[in-house]
Amino acid sequence: QVQLVQSAGGLVQAGGSLRLSCAASGRTFSNYAMGWFRQAPGKERAFVAAINWSGGSTYYADSVKGRFTISRDNAKKMVYLQMNSLKPEDTAVYYCAADTTRPFVELTTAHSYEDQYNYWGQGTQVTVSS
């Protein structure tokens, strides 16, 4: 069993920055890939970023590439999403997710799909004002 607990989000002005955190407990955190997704009002949940088990490989949605950075600290069992140059269209509920069924696999495009992940955080609201 894995529990994912996310930090609070927040309200930020366009062009600002925000860092989201996700704390994992349970199974060996360092064995599996992690991802971030988001769901904007009236839209389906969408992929944001993924990171492999070691932190050595990352993958981003085109919409956030160059602005967002995913990272992890395996010793602390934490995964982060640093969001810079935020835009109003980044407003959404953000979710972290864990893929614990495939330990030590490298990232593929499959990690951009929700069904690759089997544990989810509770979600946190990020609002970007114009």
Side-chain angles (χ1 to χ4, degrees), residues 7-26:
S7 63
L11 171 65
V12 62
Q13 288 188 330
S17 297
L18 194 63
R19 188 177 83 157
L20 302 182
S21 301
C22 176
S25 62

Side-chain angles (χ1 to χ4, degrees), residues 22-69:
C22 176
S25 62
R27 294 184 184 179
T28 306
F29 175 76
S30 59
N31 291 358
Y32 48 84
M34 297 289 296
W36 286 95
F37 287 73
R38 66 186 181 185
Q39 187 166 20
K43 295 186 177 181
E44 295 186 351
R45 193 153 54 183
F47 171 72
V48 175
I51 189 165
N52 77 330
W53 58 275
S54 68
S57 178
T58 57
Y59 179 51
Y60 295 94
D62 288 343
S63 58
V64 306
K65 202 172 296 182
R67 299 188 298 122
F68 290 13
T69 303

Side-chain angles (χ1 to χ4, degrees), residues 37 44-47 97 110-118 120:
F37 287 73
E44 295 186 351
R45 193 153 54 183
F47 171 72
H111 284 94
S112 65
Y113 293 93
E114 290 184 67
D115 59 8
Q116 187 77 2
Y117 301 87
N118 55 327
W120 292 84

